[in-house]
């Protein structure tokens, strides 16, 4: 036996990190053909300057393990990394400390790269890109111009979300419960001229595509479906005789038209100014409108929000009943949903019901529930379930399931309105009034107006001569060298757009650029992109469900329509890792691990004490990777002990002679069963089960060694199998022993072990075959075969047929007892 020095990750790990880097093991030539390619991608991080903690590690370690596994399976595997490098924290740091955002970002990137390396994570750094580099963002500008040409980028004045903390506008997707998703500030509504991407033109395609994403978490798909928010209904025209105007409303319940007792345009609706002119209470009405407009969209939409209303005193005509019904203003009616006006049916819509109760408006049921008629005087809530239509002329007695279709046809026939589909999705507001982003390639010319920059002038470079401190508003607007530029159309002095793009533009297509990151002629080579994409496995947090993941699907479709890519869905498989929690000393509660809560664990300390392999094993073992898991220091120590046992086992087996063949022994069979389990479970991302299986296998090998029942050859085989299967999880220790056992190539590039099906005997069962209750034969079958298959096999056996005299037979199979009994069929049997 060789002398054992003990498990020393501090020596092993840097050695292998150097070797992998020096030999460029993760490099993949994306220009070459790539049959069976595997494109693994982590959502590229924002280099924030905060040290990554073990909670972040979960994400990257998981991705690395998956990547290493597919490498060993022999797939050409691409695993690139880059930086979502534009954004506010860098600019805020510049304001605070005077350091230029570019410098600040560069430093942070260098630090993060070191951290990735110390975890043993392999990326193909030849593909590295950072969105703040002109070589990258020029293509944002190029895409923008192409979209503008096709009407997919446009500028308009609109009520928008303004974050006072970030001093910029935000997309709807970035407002969570009325607050900025980044800074948490309460968002205000302001009327501003802004740039938009017309994502609404893709609403239907984005929705349809979700059905084909079989390997995406249901939760993400549901969130996107709800966000797109398709509803089918009708536009209905309500005349306002006093104004000689028609108010068009959108409703998803045209079947309740006879129950509409008032209409409500949004306070922002263009007709409201004219209604105000007719109202006896003009000043109050205008005050009401002003107040509502200061409320955020989220406040107005919230189910629980206070219903604010104002009776305009003006009337409209319900086209079905020809009755006069009042025009009210209500804060919950949004200008950009449907037609920006609704018809209110208090009996059958909860929000309308609450509003009607508050303002004493009539409630008129037009549905009869199975449980009996509704009484407007005593109803406690709107009736929104089934029933049959009543009090609606021709529609009466129609069951709920057919009512909407019937109503829409009548409405169209009689000219009361038209069929209409709407979406909750709004166009994507992309302008930001901040410096650290992609400059929007547009100019304002006194003679020509708004003009796109010429393609050959790209990139429009973000200037460096910027004063960040003591600046009110967008610092870019203060840079004369940037702002002053000739008009691309007439050459006269013009002014550049100083808004920059939302950083979500950067992340909407970066996964395409990774396969051709240095291309200076084109955005990318389409043939290459079509060879390597879609991404086979994408990994990132659920918080991106409706921001990044929706925008990326939108961009992919746009680029497909431009003829640049041959697919619509960028990510075939998506995995959302769960977060890591830990006791927060300040609150005494188990909370998400985060710097602001002060409950993080630094990987630096952990690696210094136990090594990166220990962190990797523990992180993957602590629970199912999609679930929230609590960090435990005891668990870390346990993972470390496991690796020390592996190390000791390897060292003892390394000293044994390797004589003869491994053969068929209990240990060899255990190895094959482990290969099968581990392979299946990695494919399903059940890494915690994988680690458990490897721990069990290590004990089996150690026991065999101690009991001296197995030959040196079988023990060597078992240990090599253990090392190979453990490699994706603990790459350093396993490479080390692979080498010490005499192997010349990296374990990473060695083939993944194959399970020999003939040795997976625990998957076979022995069936005893009886004929008329007497044992006549036995056979081994795969336990996964169904009863019919087993019967058929048995019936074909000579020893069985002999006793059945060749006649028809019926079989009774007792699977738990593994007894199959045949009786000859009597003539009367079916
Ligand atoms: Zn903010
Ligand atoms: Zn001009």
């Amino acid at each position: 036996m060789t002398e054992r020095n003990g498990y020393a990750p501090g020596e092993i790990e840097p050695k292998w990190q150097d070797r992998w880097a020096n030999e460029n093991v993760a490099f993949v030539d994306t220009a070459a053909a790539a049959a069976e390619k595997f494109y693994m991608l982590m959502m590229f991080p924002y280099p924030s300057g905060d040290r990554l903690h073990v909670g972040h590690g979960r994400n990257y370690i998981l991705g690395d393990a998956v990547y290493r596994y597919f490498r060993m399976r022999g797939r050409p595997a691409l695993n690139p990394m880059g930086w979502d490098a534009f954004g506010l924290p860098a600019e805020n740091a510049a304001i605070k400390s005077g350091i230029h955002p570019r410098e600040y970002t560069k430093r942070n990137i260098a630090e993060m790269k070191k951290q990735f390396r110390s975890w043993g994570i392999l990326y193909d750094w030849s593909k590295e890109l950072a969105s703040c580099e002109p070589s990258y963002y020029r293509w944002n500008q190029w895409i923008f111009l192409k979209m503008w040409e096709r009407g997919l980028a446009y500028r308009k004045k609109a009520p928008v979300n303004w974050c006072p903390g970030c001093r910029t506008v935000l997309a709807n997707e970035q407002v969570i419960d009325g607050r900025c998703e980044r800074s948490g500030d309460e968002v205000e509504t302001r009327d501003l001229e802004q740039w938009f991407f017309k994502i609404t033109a893709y609403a239907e395609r984005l929705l349809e595509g979700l059905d084909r994403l079989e390997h995406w978490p249901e939760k993400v798909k549901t969130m996107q479906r709800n966000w797109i928010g398709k509803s089918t209904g009708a536009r209905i025209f309500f005349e306002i005789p006093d104004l000689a105007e028609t108010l068009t409303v959108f409703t998803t319940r045209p079947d309740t038209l006879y129950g509409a007792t008032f209409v409500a345009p949004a306070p922002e609706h263009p007709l409201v100014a004219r209604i105000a002119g007719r109202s006896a209470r003009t000043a109050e009405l205008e005050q009401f409108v002003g107040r509502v407009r200061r409320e955020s969209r989220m406040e107005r939409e919230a189910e629980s929000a206070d219903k604010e209303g104002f009776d305009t005193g003006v009337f409209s005509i319900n086209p079905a009943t020809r009755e006069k019904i009042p025009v009210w203003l209500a804060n919950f009616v949004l200008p950009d949903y449907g037609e920006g006006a609704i018809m209110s049916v208090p009996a059958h819509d909860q929000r309308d019901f609450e509003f009607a109760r508050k303002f004493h408006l009539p409630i008129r049921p037009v549905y009869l529930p199975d449980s009996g008629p509704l009484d407007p005087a005593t109803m406690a809530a709107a009736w929104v379930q089934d029933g049959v239509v009543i009090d609606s002329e021709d529609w009466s007695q129609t069951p709920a399931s057919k009512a909407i279709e019937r109503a829409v046809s009548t409405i169209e026939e009689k000219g009361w309105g038209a069929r209409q589909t709407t979406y909750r999705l709004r166009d994507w507001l992309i302008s930001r009034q901040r410096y650290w982003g992609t400059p929007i390639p547009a100019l304002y010319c006194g003679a020509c107006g708004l003009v796109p920059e010429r393609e050959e002038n790209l990139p429009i470079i973000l200037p460096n001569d910027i004063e960040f401190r003591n600046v009110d508003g967008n610092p870019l607007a203060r840079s004369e060298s940037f702002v002053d530029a000739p008009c691309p159309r007439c050459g006269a002095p013009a002014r550049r757009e100083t808004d920059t793009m939302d950083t979500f533009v950067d992340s909407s297509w970066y996964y395409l650029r990774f396969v051709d990151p240095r291309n200076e002629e084109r955005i990318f080579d389409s043939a290459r992109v079509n060879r390597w994409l879609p991404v086979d496995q994408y990994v990132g947090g659920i918080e991106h469900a409706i921001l990044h993941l929706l925008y990326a699907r939108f961009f992919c479709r746009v680029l497909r329509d431009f003829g640049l890519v041959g697919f619509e869905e960028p990510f075939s498989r998506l995995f959302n890792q769960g977060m890591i929690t830990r006791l927060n000393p300040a609150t005494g509660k188990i909370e998400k691990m985060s710097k602001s809560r002060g409950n993080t664990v630094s990987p630096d300390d952990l690696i210094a004490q136990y090594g990166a392999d220990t962190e990797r094993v523990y992180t993957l073992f602590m629970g199912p990777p999609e679930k929230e898991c609590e960090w435990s220091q005891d668990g870390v120590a346990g993972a470390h002990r496991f690796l020390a046992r592996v190390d000791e086992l390897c060292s003892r087996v390394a000293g044994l002679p390797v004589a003869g063949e491994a053969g068929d022994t209990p240990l060899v069979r255990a190895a094959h069963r482990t290969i099968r389990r581990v392979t299946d479970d990695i494919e399903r991302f059940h890494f915690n089960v994988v680690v458990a299986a490897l721990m069990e296998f290590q004990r089996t090998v150690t026991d065999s060694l101690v009991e001296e029942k197995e030959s040196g050859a079988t023990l060597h085989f078992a240990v090599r199998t253990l090392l190979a299967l453990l490699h994706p999880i603990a790459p350093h220790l396993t490479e080390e022993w692979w080498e010490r056992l005499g192997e010349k190539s990296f374990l990473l590039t060695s083939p993944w072990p194959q399970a020999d099906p003939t040795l997976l005997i625990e998957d076979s069962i022995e069936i005893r075959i009886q004929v008329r209750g007497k044992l006549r034969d036995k056979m081994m079958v795969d336990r996964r075969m169904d009863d019919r298959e087993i019967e058929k096999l048995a019936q074909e056996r000579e020893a069985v047929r002999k006793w059945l005299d060749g006649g028809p037979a019926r079989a009774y199979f007792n699977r738990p007892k593994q007894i199959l009994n045949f009786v000859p069929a009597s003539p009367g049997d079916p």
Side-chain angles (χ1 to χ4, degrees):
M1 254 188 217
T2 51
E3 200 60 38
R4 211 175 71 77
N5 302 318
Y7 176 37
E11 289 159 33
I12 297 170
E13 294 185 352
K15 167 185 157 185
W16 288 99
Q17 287 157 15
D18 287 348
R19 290 269 280 276
W20 293 323
N22 295 342
E23 299 194 28
N24 217 358
V25 289
F27 173 77
V28 50
D29 179 6
T30 47
E36 290 285 284
K37 60 89 185 174
F38 183 79
Y39 185 175
M40 168 78 217
L41 188 63
M42 316 295 301
M43 289 180 186
F44 72 163
Y46 177 74
S48 72
D50 296 336
R51 297 290 287 172
L52 296 172
H53 56 68
V54 296
H56 299 117
R58 188 178 204 189
N59 192 18
Y60 299 109
I61 288 166
L62 176 81
D64 189 64
V66 173
Y67 162 72
R68 285 174 185 269
Y69 166 73
F70 280 102
R71 274 297 292 273
M72 293 179 78
R73 293 300 302 265
R75 306 266 298 261
L78 172 63
N79 192 30
M81 181 45 73
W83 312 100
D84 193 7
F86 273 139
L88 267 180
E91 191 166 337
N92 290 340
I95 294 165
K96 229 170 110 184
S97 63
I99 179 174
H100 194 280
R102 184 172 301 283
E103 275 314 302
Y104 174 84
T105 304
K106 260 191 189 164
R107 269 190 224 169
N108 297 345
I109 288 174
E111 280 307 307
M112 280 179 82
K113 278 177 96 161
K114 272 193 226 157
Q115 283 200 281
F116 288 149
R117 187 184 163 106
S118 71
W119 271 323
I121 289 171
L122 293 181
Y123 292 120
D124 179 353
W125 289 113
S126 74
K127 312 291 187 292
E128 182 180 7
L129 55 85
S131 57
C132 64
E133 296 303 331
S135 59
Y136 183 81
Y137 69 68
R138 73 173 286 183
W139 301 109
N140 283 346
Q141 295 172 336
W142 183 81
I143 294 170
F144 179 94
L145 292 178
K146 295 284 158 209
M147 287 175 75
W148 193 355
E149 255 171 46
R150 288 163 171 80
L152 292 172
Y154 65 92
R155 194 171 159 80
K156 77 161 184 203
K157 188 166 184 171
V160 297
N161 308 300
W162 172 266
C163 173
C166 302
R167 301 199 325 268
T168 182
V169 300
L170 303 172
N172 286 336
E173 287 80 2
Q174 288 162 314
V175 182
I176 315 290
D177 297 331
R179 291 179 180 276
C180 169
E181 57 107 22
R182 209 197 63 76
S183 67
D185 286 295
E186 209 163 305
V187 170
E188 300 165 5
T189 305
R190 288 195 184 179
D191 273 334
L192 292 168
E193 279 248 343
Q194 299 290 314
W195 287 98
F196 292 85
F197 281 156
K198 204 170 186 174
I199 190 171
T200 53
Y202 286 75
E204 191 59 40
R205 282 166 68 185
L206 288 167
L207 190 63
E208 272 173 8
L210 290 171
D211 297 335
R212 292 188 295 274
L213 291 174
E214 285 168 54
H215 304 290
W216 273 43
E218 272 313 313
K219 189 175 174 192
V220 174
K221 291 193 278 186
T222 303
M223 286 169 80
Q224 290 208 0
R225 271 188 202 106
N226 293 343
W227 187 259
I228 295 167
K230 179 178 181 174
S231 36
T232 309
R235 273 179 296 138
I236 302 180
F237 313 133
F238 286 77
E239 283 166 39
I240 303 181
D242 283 356
L243 301 180
E245 280 282 2
T246 301
L247 178 70
T248 305
V249 308
F250 170 72
T251 176
T252 56
R253 293 294 307 275
D255 53 323
T256 60
L257 176 58
Y258 286 85
T261 54
F262 61 98
V263 291
E268 293 88 343
H269 196 284
L271 274 185
V272 169
R274 297 194 46 205
I275 291 170
R278 281 282 170 166
S279 175
R281 303 154 65 202
T282 309
E284 277 170 85
L285 190 155
E286 281 166 356
Q287 228 170 33
F288 176 83
V289 169
R291 201 167 64 236
V292 172
R293 295 189 68 158
R294 281 190 298 277
E295 290 177 29
S296 73
R297 180 190 175 89
M298 296 290 167
E299 280 174 306
R300 289 167 63 176
E301 258 189 324
E303 299 267 324
S304 57
D306 265 355
K307 311 277 174 294
E308 303 288 339
F310 189 92
D311 182 2
T312 67
V314 173
F315 286 90
S316 77
I317 307 290
N318 181 329
T321 61
R322 301 304 301 166
E323 281 171 358
K324 276 169 73 173
I325 59 173
V327 177
W328 277 67
L329 298 183
N331 63 338
F332 62 80
V333 183
L334 297 169
D336 51 4
Y337 178 76
E339 297 288 326
I342 61 161
M343 66 176 204
S344 284
V345 186
H348 305 294
D349 178 282
Q350 186 56 25
R351 223 164 33 173
D352 296 349
F353 180 83
E354 287 167 26
F355 192 88
R357 276 279 186 261
K358 179 166 176 182
F359 296 104
H360 311 291
L361 288 156
I363 294 170
R364 180 187 293 175
V366 289
Y367 264 88
L368 175 66
D370 288 347
S371 51
L374 300 165
D375 178 0
T378 58
M379 280 173 79
W383 177 259
V384 292
Q385 292 96 332
D386 285 358
V388 291
V389 178
I390 52 164
D391 295 338
S392 300
E393 298 185 47
D394 289 356
W395 301 349
S396 297
Q397 301 313 313
T398 311
S401 59
K402 302 208 166 96
I404 291 182
E405 197 43 52
R406 168 133 201 212
V408 173
S409 0
T410 312
I411 287 164
E412 290 204 301
E413 233 173 70
K414 303 213 171 178
W416 298 343
R419 183 183 301 273
Q420 175 89 35
T421 303
T422 59
Y423 300 88
R424 182 176 178 274
L425 184 69
R426 300 276 72 94
D427 278 343
W428 174 12
L429 196 173
I430 61 142
S431 338
R432 297 291 178 273
Q433 289 71 47
R434 300 300 300 242
Y435 163 76
W436 194 230
T438 302
I440 291 176
L443 295 98
Y444 300 91
C445 166
C448 312
L450 185 57
V451 189
E453 183 53 272
R454 288 168 186 271
E455 214 176 293
E456 57 267 32
N457 292 345
L458 300 186
I460 304 307
I461 304 237
L462 204 54
N464 277 321
D465 60 329
I466 292 287
E467 179 52 54
F468 293 103
R469 300 207 223 195
N470 311 316
V471 172
D472 190 26
N474 183 355
L476 193 53
R478 305 287 185 103
S479 168
E480 281 169 24
S481 68
F482 178 79
V483 174
D484 298 335
C487 168
R489 199 164 288 165
C490 72
R495 229 166 21 83
R496 273 195 198 289
E497 172 63 83
T498 58
D499 281 357
T500 55
M501 294 183 202
D502 183 358
T503 56
F504 279 105
V505 175
D506 311 340
S507 50
S508 291
W509 67 279
Y510 75 106
Y511 47 89
L512 301 167
R513 181 77 178 171
F514 269 140
V515 301
D516 194 12
R518 309 288 167 250
N519 198 328
E520 292 183 4
E521 307 299 315
R522 274 172 295 163
I523 181 167
F524 46 70
D525 180 271
S526 292
R528 245 192 237 202
V529 162
N530 289 335
R531 270 205 303 276
W532 278 93
L533 279 103
V535 170
D536 294 277
Q537 181 65 63
Y538 201 30
V539 175
I542 186 87
E543 67 273 20
H544 296 288
I546 48 173
L547 289 154
H548 163 57
L549 288 170
L550 187 65
Y551 296 149
R553 296 181 62 231
F554 163 54
F555 257 54
C556 197
R557 282 164 171 74
V558 168
L559 296 176
R560 184 186 181 165
D561 292 350
F562 291 176
L564 289 167
V565 303
F567 46 90
E568 290 212 323
E569 292 296 344
F571 315 118
S572 303
R573 281 171 189 268
L574 173 68
F575 183 82
N576 301 126
Q577 78 281 0
M579 62 186 176
I580 290 186
T581 59
R582 190 169 175 240
L583 185 75
N584 177 351
T587 61
K589 286 188 192 136
I590 308 294
E591 291 175 1
K592 178 185 177 180
M593 194 179 275
S594 77
K595 189 188 167 203
S596 58
R597 292 186 175 87
N599 63 344
T600 60
V601 173
S602 155
D604 307 343
D605 301 343
L606 200 67
I607 290 171
Q609 192 180 351
Y610 295 108
D613 281 344
T614 292
E615 182 183 345
R616 293 175 64 119
V617 167
Y618 175 61
T619 298
L620 293 171
F621 184 51
M622 68 194 301
E626 70 279 9
K627 295 263 159 59
E628 187 177 300
C629 287
E630 190 189 341
W631 187 266
S632 137
Q633 211 56 28
D634 292 346
V636 174
H640 187 72
R641 284 194 299 275
F642 163 59
L643 290 177
R645 285 196 301 270
V646 171
D647 182 66
E648 185 185 347
L649 173 65
C650 290
S651 116
R652 290 174 66 179
V653 169
L656 297 176
V658 198
E661 290 285 310
D664 177 2
T665 72
L667 181 59
V668 170
R669 276 179 242 145
H672 282 275
R673 282 200 302 273
T674 308
I675 294 169
R676 168 84 160 261
R677 280 174 70 186
V678 166
T679 308
D680 288 352
D681 282 322
I682 288 187
E683 298 267 353
R684 289 182 293 188
F685 274 50
H686 293 176
F687 278 95
N688 53 324
V689 181
V690 169
V691 178
L694 291 171
M695 287 173 166
E696 188 189 315
F697 183 52
Q698 173 267 314
R699 280 194 298 272
T700 304
V701 186
T702 302
D703 290 350
S704 303
L705 174 72
V706 173
E707 291 162 12
E708 297 183 7
K709 279 185 191 159
E710 298 274 350
S711 69
T714 49
L715 285 162
H716 269 275
F717 167 76
V719 160
R720 272 164 212 264
T721 303
L722 174 63
L723 290 174
L725 298 178
L726 184 57
H727 177 75
I729 295 163
H732 308 87
L733 178 65
T734 51
E735 284 283 16
E736 178 67 20
W737 275 108
W738 194 247
E739 186 186 51
R740 288 198 210 167
L741 289 173
E743 297 291 341
K744 297 283 178 265
S745 58
F746 287 112
L747 181 48
L748 173 72
T749 56
S750 306
W752 185 252
Q754 294 293 312
D756 178 346
T758 64
L759 293 172
L760 295 170
I761 56 160
E762 107 270 67
D763 283 332
S764 303
I765 46 173
E766 189 184 59
I767 309 273
R768 281 175 292 160
I769 308 169
Q770 300 179 342
V771 179
R772 292 195 197 92
K774 285 212 165 109
L775 180 69
R776 298 299 181 188
D777 201 2
K778 290 178 188 175
M779 67 174 182
M780 297 296 291
V781 297
D782 189 316
R783 86 164 57 239
R784 289 161 303 183
M785 285 172 84
D786 68 24
D787 294 7
R788 290 295 312 151
E789 288 175 291
I790 291 173
E791 265 174 57
K792 212 168 150 239
L793 270 184
Q795 214 159 9
E796 281 163 8
R797 294 172 78 87
E798 190 48 43
V800 176
R801 283 162 56 166
K802 180 166 89 184
W803 293 102
L804 286 171
D805 307 323
R810 301 182 67 190
Y812 297 92
F813 184 28
N814 184 333
R815 191 177 271 266
K817 290 195 170 160
Q818 295 171 204
I819 296 174
L820 181 64
N821 190 23
F822 284 98
V823 285
S826 51
D829 277 352

